[in-house]
Amino acid sequence: MQRTLGVIAGDGVGPDVVREGLAVLGDVVGRDDVNIQLAHFDLGGERFLKTGEVLPDSALDDLKKCDAIFLGAVGHPGVAPGILEKGLLLKLRFEFQQYINLRPVRLFSGVETPIKGKGPDDIDMVVVRENNEDLYVGAGGFTRKGTPEEVAIQTSINTRAGVERCLRYAFRLAQERGKARPFRGLSKDEVGKGVRGQVTMVAKTNVLTFAHDLWMRTFNEVAADYPDVKTDYQHVDACCMRMVVSPERFDVIATTNMFGDIITDLGAVLQGGMGLAASGNLNPERNFPSMFEPVHGSAPDIAGQGIANPIAAILSVGMLLDHLGAPKGAEEVRRAVAKVLAAGTHKTPDLGGRSTTAEVGRAVRDALGT
Ligand code: NAD
Ligand code: IPM
Ligand code: MN
């Protein structure tokens, strides 16, 4: 099987972690019947500063022809906030209808979580973040800008179809996760009745009484089609508190774009930090390429030092391989990462070690197939 992977290394630590991700990809790709050709795209802050271009139409067209995209990070200290984030990252998520942002939160053995008394058995959830609506649509504007009477409006857009497809994805994922073994937070009684997984919807129905009323009604309707999945609801503020106090109560979380952005940085911390959190922006229908990237950004505070943790990017490669129909390679990537983390001998400074990005990447590659 021949596949083309578009690569956007981007800004800051992006190129460093992408290099390691691609090296791992090159090593494991032969395990499945897949051949991956890389197409590199020079996009990001440096390109913008040189040429004024963020995402030229020609690049968008070429990216559209790819089977998937691997992105490092965008965001440059010399470029005003929003130009690259909206013009590149969000543009791709929207243009390619990547309406699911899948963000696993899993604590690997050997990694310290700041949550006292919790371990890998307690921290294993997946956030299904709606990725094409809400405040991210960019609907809004100013009037009387720059005057004392200035008004700024930014509207959260929620559509029935958009909410429903996101929730259905979450329910199907909970079913899928429950296949191997039922979610640990279910009672014996529930498992006896055939329940296998749980979806927690996270919103703010007590304040956002229009938008999240739509979410709640849709949730209740969709849930009726999945009797083997338990439903749960948390307001987003309480969700943050419970993710810290009792992370074991979460299986699949379904939430809005903005809340999903926020709670997945919290989720990253539960699993050991930004350096470990992977994600996939998915177009489940495969009409357009899906895009895989670490949850973290360009990390300007550590950029250029060669010390960024590459594991979030490497785990994103694992998700990418699953998506491209290379499950053996995907599993191998996760196994090698688990091995390196359990051994604890190669850690970047964010995990309390002294290894470089390249050394951790090398350690993961050495652990492949062992
Ligand atoms: P950030 O995720 O870049 O950094 C937050 C903190 O986490 C920093 O202290 C950083 O050093 C640390 N960190 C991040 N990645 C790390 C890694 N791989 N290894 C070790 N430590 C790591 O968030 P920020 O500082 O708020 O944003 C910086 C820039 O990145 C901004 O321009 C922002 O818009 C952009 N951003 C882009 C993406 C993306 O491309 N997907 C995501 C988030 C932020
Ligand atoms: C993320 C980032 C992006 C988001 C920004 C950079 C647009 O924070 O991927 O989590 O808000 O989605
Ligand atoms: Mn974010």
Side-chain angles (χ1 to χ4, degrees):
M1 223 171 6
Q2 177 69 37
R3 294 279 181 262
T4 306
L5 178 65
V7 179
I8 305 172
D11 303 318
V13 300
D16 296 354
V17 299
V18 160
R19 191 175 308 118
E20 302 311 319
L22 290 178
V24 170
L25 179 72
D27 286 355
V28 299
V29 72
R31 310 208 175 204
D32 301 85
D33 181 26
V34 184
N35 184 17
I36 295 184
Q37 197 184 336
L38 302 180
H40 289 273
F41 290 83
D42 171 25
L43 298 168
E46 295 299 332
R47 163 97 176 247
F48 173 73
L49 290 172
K50 258 185 258 147
T51 68
E53 290 169 316
V54 178
L55 179 60
D57 286 347
S58 60
L60 187 66
D61 284 346
D62 290 342
L63 281 162
K64 198 180 288 177
K65 291 181 204 128
C66 295
D67 295 290
I69 300 166
F70 180 37
L71 181 138
V74 300
H76 191 292
V79 180
I83 293 183
L84 302 164
E85 291 85 347
K86 277 177 89 167
L88 184 49
L89 185 62
L90 298 183
K91 174 112 181 211
L92 292 173
R93 289 179 183 170
F94 279 76
E95 283 283 325
F96 295 159
Q97 295 170 26
Q98 296 162 349
Y99 63 83
I100 298 297
N101 195 325
L102 195 64
R103 298 189 155 185
V105 177
R106 170 185 171 195
L107 178 67
F108 281 90
S109 288
V111 178
E112 224 176 290
T113 177
I115 311 301
K116 198 171 69 189
K118 302 295 176 185
D121 288 342
D122 304 302
I123 299 173
D124 182 5
M125 64 188 96
V126 184
V127 178
V128 175
R129 169 185 176 191
E130 198 291 318
N131 211 33
N132 275 179
E133 300 198 339
D134 194 14
L135 287 160
Y136 279 74
V137 168
F142 304 102
T143 51
R144 300 191 281 274
K145 190 173 179 187
T147 73
E149 295 80 34
E150 175 166 353
V151 179
I153 296 175
Q154 194 114 30
T155 306
S156 162
I157 294 190
N158 300 260
T159 69
R160 167 68 200 215
V163 173
E164 182 166 340
R165 65 188 180 178
C166 172
L167 290 171
R168 285 198 185 276
Y169 186 93
F171 276 95
R172 284 195 301 269
L173 178 64
Q175 285 181 324
E176 202 51 46
R177 279 167 64 85
K179 269 188 190 151
R181 66 184 167 114
F183 166 53
R184 63 205 178 294
L186 297 169
S187 68
K188 268 207 180 106
D189 198 38
E190 285 162 339
V191 175
K193 286 184 180 137
V195 179
R196 309 286 300 179
Q198 172 182 281
V199 175
T200 301
M201 189 177 95
V202 171
K204 187 79 184 168
T205 54
N206 52 345
V207 174
L208 304 180
T209 53
F210 310 125
H212 293 187
D213 184 70
L214 170 63
W215 272 81
M216 190 46 107
R217 278 182 284 118
T218 311
F219 184 58
N220 290 332
E221 283 172 40
V222 168
D225 291 341
Y226 303 87
D228 50 343
V229 178
K230 183 179 176 182
T231 57
D232 176 37
Y233 172 80
Q234 311 268 333
H235 294 317
V236 65
D237 43 358
C239 167
C240 289
M241 178 276 288
R242 292 202 177 100
M243 279 174 72
V244 170
V245 172
S246 39
E248 68 281 0
R249 66 180 292 155
F250 296 102
D251 181 11
V252 174
I253 292 179
T255 192
T256 63
N257 206 343
M258 181 54 95
F259 292 169
D261 176 44
I262 297 165
I263 69 169
T264 53
D265 266 32
L266 176 56
V269 171
L270 301 189
Q271 61 189 310
M274 297 309 295
L276 295 170
S279 81
N281 301 274
L282 308 180
N283 171 261
E285 285 78 28
R286 296 171 185 260
N287 304 322
F288 297 101
S290 294
M291 179 164 71
F292 298 81
E293 52 165 338
V295 171
H296 66 73
S298 54
D301 53 342
I302 58 164
Q305 301 177 33
I307 55 162
N309 191 340
I311 290 182
I314 292 171
L315 289 172
S316 302
V317 164
M319 295 177 76
L320 179 134
L321 284 163
D322 267 330
H323 181 79
L324 287 182
K328 289 189 199 130
E331 202 39 50
E332 189 55 25
V333 169
R334 284 186 284 271
R335 231 185 39 74
V337 166
K339 205 159 178 188
V340 169
L341 290 172
T345 43
H346 294 84
K347 296 193 279 195
T348 41
D350 56 307
L351 297 184
R354 311 173 105 215
S355 303
T356 64
T357 309
E359 284 163 355
V360 172
R362 183 72 254 170
V364 173
R365 295 174 69 190
D366 288 344
L368 293 167
T370 60

